[in-house]
Amino acid sequence: MVIPVHDVNPVRRTPYVTYALIAANVLVFLYTPGLAGSVAGDSGLSQLCHLQAFLDHYAAVPQELIHHQMPRLVPTGDVGAGPQGAGCVVGPPDYDKSPPLSVFTAMFLHGSWLHLLGNMLFLLIFGNNIEDRMGHVRFTLFYVACGFAAAYGFALLNDNSSDPLIGASGAIAGVLGAYLVLYPKARVWVLVPFLIFLPLRLPAWLVLGFWFVLQAVYSSGEGVSTAGTVAYAAHVVGFLVGMLLAWPLRPGTPPPPEPRRPLWGRQARHSW
């Protein structure tokens, strides 16, 4: 898999929404119960139980999204001892969970630094141009819509799953799909692992097209030993929805209005 590091595609305006989304994801990760120890390299049973309880409350669960089947017993965050040894205590939930709302909250949850940084890297590189093309408000709605479509698309394909679905990957996949439609010829600097990391400048259609093909292959179960913990099908759905929503804005349609304030330097150059 190639690692994108920069795109040669300047913007006209500051991508405030992209920056705000990145900041929100980082802050939520830092304040997620049970992850502080994993950041410091010291994760124990107590932290795992707190994390399970938190995810059960705020993560999206396919079974809940499709069938509205809420579990009778959930992790409480406490540690207890049973016949098989120490483990996480379960009990009746002391909260009312809204499955649709859990899709939104799940979009800001990540299970590790690698999960978080990988998503934020893609959002930073490709999100600014999509926000610039759509405008701040439309980009916000677009991002949320892709996230919801990805989560419900994955849930429809795995309607009996009770595993929590977390991460911004589905929404960011929509951003990548929009970028492929709007800027297929933009150049993207990537690192290709071949003995060492080789820097190459490739067209966006090749980088993003290769990424999408990998997600489609993995979602079918090919190329991976097990389904693992990555919701590849959500990536595929989010990408396709992003392409569909961005299609009316493809080159040839009127761009958004110019910013009222004067721009200088890199921001003053058009990006299409």
Side-chain angles (χ1 to χ4, degrees):
M1 183 62 185
V2 298
I3 304 173
V5 293
H6 176 66
D7 67 329
V8 186
N9 195 3
V11 296
R12 304 178 308 160
R13 69 194 77 215
T14 303
Y16 293 115
V17 175
T18 298
Y19 292 158
L21 288 171
I22 293 174
N25 277 277
V26 172
L27 287 175
V28 170
F29 180 82
L30 292 176
Y31 284 95
T32 298
L35 285 180
S38 64
V39 173
D42 178 26
S43 58
L45 180 59
S46 177
Q47 292 171 336
L48 176 62
C49 292
H50 277 87
L51 179 59
Q52 287 184 352
F54 183 82
L55 294 182
D56 194 85
H57 188 177
Y58 294 105
V61 178
Q63 194 175 65
E64 298 173 1
L65 296 180
I66 303 303
H67 303 296
H68 291 271
Q69 296 178 354
M70 310 305 294
R72 293 182 298 174
L73 298 176
V74 298
T76 64
D78 298 325
V79 177
Q84 298 180 348
C88 299
V89 177
V90 296
D94 58 357
Y95 52 81
D96 292 324
K97 183 177 181 180
S98 168
L101 182 59
S102 71
V103 175
F104 180 78
T105 55
M107 291 166 57
F108 295 91
L109 302 177
H110 293 83
S112 67
W113 272 112
L114 184 61
H115 188 199
L116 172 70
L117 295 179
N119 277 345
M120 295 305 102
L121 175 64
F122 276 80
L123 180 57
L124 178 64
I125 294 174
F126 300 106
N128 60 343
N129 291 105
I130 304 305
E131 181 179 351
D132 185 54
R133 188 68 174 87
M134 294 184 174
H136 304 309
V137 175
R138 282 199 295 179
F139 175 71
T140 302
L141 297 176
F142 167 84
Y143 182 90
V144 174
C146 289
F148 267 79
Y152 273 97
F154 179 83
L156 284 171
L157 297 173
N158 302 271
D159 60 319
N160 291 320
S161 173
S162 58
D163 295 330
L165 182 65
I166 61 173
S169 304
I172 295 172
V175 172
L176 303 186
Y179 198 101
L180 179 61
V181 168
L182 299 177
Y183 307 107
K185 297 181 181 180
R187 295 290 172 168
V188 181
W189 281 101
V190 300
L191 296 177
V192 180
F194 183 75
L195 299 180
I196 60 174
F197 284 99
L198 298 177
L200 295 176
R201 193 174 74 166
L202 303 174
W205 67 264
L206 180 60
V207 175
L208 299 179
F210 178 64
W211 182 90
F212 175 74
V213 169
L214 278 182
Q215 307 309 303
V217 170
Y218 291 159
S219 68
S220 68
E222 299 293 333
V224 289
S225 57
T226 62
T229 58
V230 180
Y232 294 109
H235 301 172
V236 173
V237 174
F239 192 94
L240 294 176
V241 171
M243 291 184 65
L244 180 64
L245 294 179
W247 192 259
L249 299 176
R250 66 190 185 279
T253 60
E258 292 282 353
R260 296 180 180 274
R261 59 183 179 82
L263 297 177
W264 308 95
R266 181 174 181 266
Q267 286 186 327
R269 299 196 296 271
H270 288 278
S271 58
W272 42 75

